[in-house]
Amino acid sequence: FATNLSSSYREAALKLRGLPVPMSIASQHIKLINSFLSSAQASIAISETEKDPATSFSGLVTLSKNFGIEKGIFEEINKILTSNGI
């Protein structure tokens, strides 16, 4: 599961990187890409529980933190787009 999650986050980040966005959301766009890449790495760490439980736990903490960050980014993008009539 965690390996598939990592691949999904990485793929999403790469697709976002190639997506042109308005300047008004460019900084949020970059933050989202970086968070997705961080979540991809955290998912890899989670998948290696048998090898290194401490690193796996750290991956869980990072992934949990990133969920909150990503929620905030999406909310900010929504607010910017809504205020611009989009």
Side-chain angles (χ1 to χ4, degrees):
F1 169 77
T3 304
N4 289 338
L5 184 61
S6 175
S7 296
S8 295
Y9 267 114
R10 184 173 242 1
E11 185 178 323
L14 294 175
K15 287 182 179 180
L16 282 173
R17 191 173 68 180
L19 182 69
V21 298
M23 284 301 297
S24 59
I25 63 168
S27 67
Q28 297 301 321
H29 183 77
I30 292 168
K31 288 178 187 177
L32 187 60
I33 291 168
N34 289 335
S35 183
F36 279 8
L37 291 172
S38 173
S39 292
Q41 286 303 113
S43 297
I44 289 171
I46 292 167
S47 72
E48 298 182 351
T49 302
E50 295 295 322
K51 293 180 188 176
D52 188 352
T55 299
S56 180
F57 182 74
S58 175
L60 283 171
V61 170
T62 299
L63 199 56
S64 178
K65 180 184 80 167
N66 287 351
F67 287 154
I69 290 170
E70 291 159 12
K71 181 179 184 280
I73 292 169
F74 285 125
E75 289 171 350
E76 184 64 24
I77 290 172
N78 184 48
K79 186 171 91 177
I80 292 167
L81 293 176
T82 301
S83 70
N84 286 295
I86 298 173

